Amino acid sequence: MVDKLIRSEDEWRKRLTPEQYRIVRERGTEMPFSGAYVHETASGIYACVACDLPLFESTAKYDSRSGWPSFWDVAAKDHIEIHEDHSLGMVRMEATCARCGAHLGHVFSDGPRPSGVRYCINSAALQLMSKMGQGGESSAKSESS
Ligand SMILES: [Zn+2]
């Protein structure tokens, strides 16, 4: 279980940029191919832009050609909540941050194997953080000699 983080809308407005606020607090959607992370390939953890909760690993990111960052798995099951969304005359599954309630995007069932799930997420709801203290192949430095 993740402890809830409750803040007033005024506080959120101060902490977020207008675009971030529109997406995560007003359940907005950024224009396709406009987000900072659509073509991002760096490795790390995509965390909630509002509360820093880790949401997705870069290893689960793939190019869905939808225009939004897409993931086929979550970093931790209890970090993301799924709700039915009946807006726009459709029934969709909305993904929100389990800690602060930030609107992230939607979940579809046309993802790649093995999950078959596509998490279609707004860049403005995410911040990419590099993995700290995790050695191994990903941290190999190429220092010329
Ligand atoms: Zn959050």
Side-chain angles (χ1 to χ4, degrees):
M1 269 302 280
V2 177
D3 286 336
K4 299 283 181 200
L5 176 67
I6 310 286
R7 287 201 169 107
S8 71
E9 291 306 311
D10 272 355
E11 276 184 89
W12 285 124
R13 222 174 246 120
K14 278 180 213 154
R15 286 167 179 270
L16 300 168
T17 68
E19 172 72 354
Q20 289 166 348
Y21 184 88
R22 185 180 74 81
I23 304 285
V24 305
R25 302 305 308 172
E26 301 184 320
R27 302 169 80 200
T29 302
E30 67 198 10
M31 296 289 288
F33 299 102
S34 72
Y37 295 133
V38 177
H39 299 295
E40 181 63 64
T41 56
S43 61
I45 295 261
Y46 288 89
C48 174
V49 77
C51 77
D52 301 342
L53 188 69
L55 301 175
F56 300 97
E57 301 213 28
S58 57
T59 49
K61 188 175 189 291
Y62 74 103
D63 182 7
S64 68
R65 302 178 192 201
S66 66
W68 290 276
S70 301
F71 304 86
W72 53 265
D73 197 9
V74 297
K77 282 251 180 309
D78 61 352
H79 286 190
I80 289 182
E81 291 180 349
I82 308 293
H83 313 267
E84 263 192 31
D85 172 9
H86 293 264
S87 64
L88 304 179
M90 300 181 265
V91 181
R92 292 178 297 170
M93 303 308 286
E94 177 196 13
T96 61
C97 170
R99 182 192 274 161
C100 73
H103 170 78
L104 305 172
H106 289 91
V107 187
F108 301 93
S109 55
D110 59 4
R113 293 183 195 183
S115 68
V117 177
R118 170 166 61 101
Y119 294 87
C120 183
I121 306 298
N122 292 291
S123 295
L126 299 172
Q127 52 181 329
L128 178 58
M129 299 171 155
S130 55
K131 279 191 195 177
M132 307 282 268
Q134 287 206 359
E137 66 281 310
S138 61
S139 66
K141 298 260 187 340
S142 58
E143 288 187 36
S144 53
S145 50

